Amino acid sequence: MQTNDKQTLIKTMDIQSNLNEVRTQLPPQVRLVAVSKFHPNEAILAAYEAGQRIFGESKEQELSKKQASLPADIQWHFIGHLQTNKVKYIAPYIAMIHAVDTYKLLAEIDKQAAKCNRVIPCLLEIHIAEEDSKYGFSFQECREMLDTEPWRELTHVAISGVMGMATNTDDQAEITKEFESLHRFFTELKDTYFAHDDRFKEISMGMSHDYLLAVKAGSTMVRVGSKIFGERVY
Ligand SMILES: *Cc1c(COP(=O)(O)O)cnc(C)c1O
């Protein structure tokens, strides 16, 4: 065996054991999005061979390349900030869009999904972190959007829940407080706008360093990258 093959083999085994470790920590109702951004197809295939089917990516070009060359039964989730002019490229195949942070983006997804005869599940990204660098609606902006925009007329998107990122900190109490605030907001939106819509059910929260806290706070979907695939090389 050549050195390169050996390295690939070691990497494959690492990825599969990391994946299994994360899986054993998740209750059955929590789905795992394996965040494969910046990792090559071989890494994704290693996880795929261990049974993983949901993968998360955050760049349209990188995702479209991977989607074209990897198994067709992979469910691709777009987890990053999405520009409206990129929606048309992913609309034919994307399984879920996690970070919808404007009505304009939601309307564009609806328009492109209609062209493909699809209904695309979307999550509303809510800003819960202390840091103000990140995207997302504030609680109030999200209420206002749902109160004033004609989102009920969009028949090719399914607003399926909320997504958020906690502050990047070691302060577990702070992270928990933020995740709990997202869970409460999810419940408020469910009761106020989506009480009769079974599709509104997801709380996407939790990454490599905080997914256990997120699960405790009621996450239904964790997005874990480096804990499975190793550090990203940008
Ligand atoms: C990159 C990314 C993740 C995964 O981050 P890790 O710390 O590697 O687990 C999760 N969610 C979003 C939105 C991301 O951009």
Side-chain angles (χ1 to χ4, degrees):
M1 201 187 303
Q2 304 207 325
T3 321
N4 265 348
D5 293 345
K6 224 184 237 163
Q7 279 168 351
T8 306
L9 188 62
I10 291 168
K11 193 97 205 295
T12 296
M13 289 168 58
D14 283 348
I15 289 170
Q16 294 180 341
S17 74
N18 294 342
L19 181 65
N20 285 327
E21 188 187 332
V22 174
R23 275 184 184 149
T24 56
Q25 296 169 318
L26 299 178
Q29 74 278 10
V30 177
R31 288 196 284 164
L32 171 62
V33 179
V35 177
S36 49
K37 63 190 189 193
F38 294 92
H39 292 286
N41 287 354
E42 297 75 61
I44 296 173
L45 283 171
Y48 180 88
E49 281 159 17
Q52 183 65 27
R53 289 295 178 272
I54 307 177
F55 291 89
E57 290 281 336
S58 61
K59 297 247 186 306
E60 179 277 319
Q61 284 197 347
E62 179 183 355
L63 169 55
S64 290
K65 263 195 210 146
K66 288 174 172 174
Q67 191 270 338
S69 53
L70 285 164
D73 64 340
I74 288 180
Q75 298 161 43
W76 295 103
H77 285 211
F78 201 91
I79 62 166
H81 179 67
L82 179 58
Q83 291 171 284
T84 48
N85 63 348
K86 299 288 169 65
V87 174
K88 58 177 174 287
Y89 301 117
I90 63 170
Y93 65 84
I94 202 75
M96 182 174 275
I97 297 177
H98 282 238
V100 174
D101 61 352
T102 59
Y103 180 76
K104 188 174 159 234
L105 177 58
L106 190 66
E108 176 65 14
I109 296 169
D110 182 72
K111 181 177 152 195
Q112 298 301 335
K115 286 187 192 168
C116 317
N117 252 313
R118 299 191 65 219
V119 176
I120 299 180
C122 293
L123 306 180
L124 302 174
E125 180 177 7
I126 311 298
H127 182 102
I128 53 170
E130 286 293 335
E131 304 143 338
D132 51 27
S133 61
K134 289 182 178 156
Y135 297 101
F137 292 105
S138 68
F139 295 143
Q140 195 47 31
E141 286 165 350
C142 187
R143 290 181 192 108
E144 275 168 27
M145 187 277 282
L146 293 170
D147 283 337
T148 60
E149 300 288 359
W151 56 273
R152 290 184 196 273
E153 293 166 18
L154 306 178
T155 51
H156 293 271
V157 290
I159 301 179
S160 302
V162 295
M163 175 270 204
M165 274 182 274
T167 303
N168 188 4
T169 173
D170 291 331
D171 183 346
Q172 306 222 336
E174 174 63 29
I175 295 172
T176 294
K177 188 185 88 186
E178 293 171 6
F179 284 153
E180 286 176 346
S181 77
L182 186 59
H183 189 171
R184 271 196 306 277
F185 190 61
F186 165 85
T187 305
E188 176 191 325
L189 294 187
K190 179 77 190 163
D191 293 345
T192 312
Y193 305 95
F194 299 97
H196 304 290
D197 189 344
D198 292 341
R199 299 173 303 177
F200 190 88
K201 60 179 171 32
E202 305 290 355
I203 307 176
S204 168
M205 59 184 185
M207 304 168 44
S208 289
H209 67 286
D210 58 17
Y211 65 95
L212 291 175
L213 298 174
V215 166
K216 273 197 196 138
S219 173
T220 66
M221 218 178 242
V222 294
R223 309 175 310 269
V224 180
S226 42
K227 168 97 195 202
I228 296 170
F229 295 108
E231 291 305 318
R232 289 178 286 274
V233 183
Y234 293 101

